[in-house]
Amino acid sequence: MKYNHIFVLSYSAAQNFFDNTDTLGNSVYYLIDNGNQKYTPTFGCNFFTTKRNIGCAGGWNLICKIAFDNMELDKIVITQDDAKIKPELLYQALEETSGLCITGVIQPFFEFSTFVITRDVWNTVGQFDENFIYVYSEDADYKQRCMLSGVIINSLYVENRDVNESASIKNNPSIDRIQYNRDYLHFKWGDSIHPHPSARADSQPPFKNKTPFAQEQEYLPLDFLPVTSRIKKVYGDITEFPSEQEYRRFIQDGFYQ
């Protein structure tokens, strides 16, 4: 039997997810708890809890390493604990995604609130940039790299207000790094050159630079992801992204149910 694999990155609303989610048939659910929460599951699910908040990019990296590098799956859904998505939309997104393609359920520019990504995309574009602290702009960076790598990003164009409560920053304002992350995004890729003014104002791709950090180096590969001083301010004097440590923990401990 073919199963759908649905990964939920959760920071503060795991119980809300279990209480309000209609499950998709023939699916296996995996919850990555990035907030060390207490919750009571209402349906079968696999769990893994990080030792600390590794951010959205770190959580997505951990999910993709588990799904594609360890489990060798072909494609997965990545969603979040505060997104209310109808099961039929997840199925549609899965059916419409293959090869070098990402399909977001929600309208631009919120495609990565719930999206389907393939192993082909992961192997082509690489990891998400964990220098985007906690949450915000990591998706815009990845979209830019997708565009430059020949990856198509589609959307089912579901309106954001119908499905997304955006609870993480609302529930914990201390993780708000929106302007900080936008500054890093601008440093990495330059100005947005999107044709629509609202998209430019929201720092959406495409961006001016065709290679990252073009003002610093004449050429760097699209998957160049340095461990910068900005991330060390949060996680200490690290030499690797936080998701790498958590992935080693997963390899040792695995999921629990």
Side-chain angles (χ1 to χ4, degrees):
M1 180 182 295
K2 179 182 177 182
Y3 288 97
N4 305 303
H5 298 270
I6 301 173
F7 287 79
V8 183
L9 181 60
S10 177
Y11 174 70
S12 62
Q15 192 60 59
N16 174 75
F17 172 78
F18 285 113
D19 290 344
N20 295 286
T21 296
D22 295 324
T23 57
L24 177 64
N26 293 337
S27 297
V28 183
Y29 284 78
Y30 311 85
L31 186 130
I32 304 300
D33 178 7
N34 204 20
N36 198 16
Q37 304 165 74
K38 293 182 179 179
Y39 48 85
T40 301
T42 56
F43 57 85
C45 189
N46 300 280
F47 309 91
F48 183 81
T49 300
T50 60
K51 283 191 172 182
R52 56 185 173 180
N53 180 7
I54 61 173
C56 184
W60 287 347
N61 281 338
L62 178 58
I63 286 171
C64 289
K65 290 174 189 294
I66 292 171
F68 299 133
D69 297 347
N70 180 258
M71 300 174 67
E72 298 184 347
L73 301 176
D74 291 327
K75 59 183 173 180
I76 60 172
V77 173
I78 298 180
T79 187
Q80 56 196 47
D81 56 15
D82 55 357
K84 297 179 180 179
I85 306 295
K86 295 179 180 179
E88 56 266 28
L89 293 173
L90 299 182
Y91 183 78
Q92 181 182 349
L94 283 162
E95 287 295 297
E96 293 185 8
T97 308
S98 63
L100 294 180
C101 174
I102 288 175
T103 302
V105 171
I106 303 173
Q107 66 189 29
F109 306 105
F110 302 94
E111 298 97 332
F112 281 31
S113 294
T114 296
F115 63 105
V116 177
I117 184 172
T118 67
R119 184 165 53 172
D120 287 342
V121 170
W122 174 249
N123 289 337
T124 298
V125 181
Q127 298 187 60
F128 295 88
D129 189 346
E130 295 179 41
N131 290 292
F132 292 98
I133 305 301
Y134 296 138
V135 60
Y136 212 83
S137 294
E138 64 286 318
D139 56 343
D141 170 78
Y142 207 74
K143 290 176 191 177
Q144 172 78 351
R145 291 161 57 201
C146 283
M147 292 177 183
L148 295 172
S149 300
V151 173
I152 297 172
I153 300 176
N154 294 323
S155 172
L156 302 186
Y157 289 92
V158 176
E159 290 192 25
N160 182 57
R161 67 173 181 267
D162 293 338
V163 297
N164 198 339
E165 297 179 345
S166 300
S168 295
I169 291 178
K170 179 181 178 181
N171 290 346
N172 187 357
S174 68
I175 67 171
D176 185 347
R177 299 293 189 279
I178 291 177
Q179 190 56 54
Y180 190 62
N181 287 342
R182 279 183 170 175
D183 291 344
Y184 175 68
L185 181 69
H186 183 268
F187 176 70
K188 185 174 183 178
W189 292 109
D191 294 332
S192 169
I193 55 174
H194 197 286
H196 297 293
S198 61
R200 291 197 300 273
D202 195 44
S203 299
Q204 291 294 325
F207 298 101
K208 180 179 178 181
N209 297 350
K210 297 299 184 289
T211 61
F213 311 106
Q215 72 276 21
E216 300 291 315
Q217 301 281 341
E218 183 175 349
Y219 173 78
L220 287 170
L222 297 178
D223 60 354
F224 176 72
L225 300 174
V227 177
T228 67
S229 59
R230 63 188 288 116
I231 196 172
K232 292 182 181 181
K233 291 179 181 178
V234 177
Y235 298 104
D237 191 20
I238 58 175
T239 58
E240 61 183 0
F241 283 156
S243 65
E244 296 287 348
Q245 181 182 26
E246 294 298 338
Y247 182 56
R248 287 196 296 272
R249 285 186 58 237
F250 172 81
I251 294 298
Q252 177 178 319
D253 300 335
F255 286 116
Y256 61 92
Q257 296 180 327

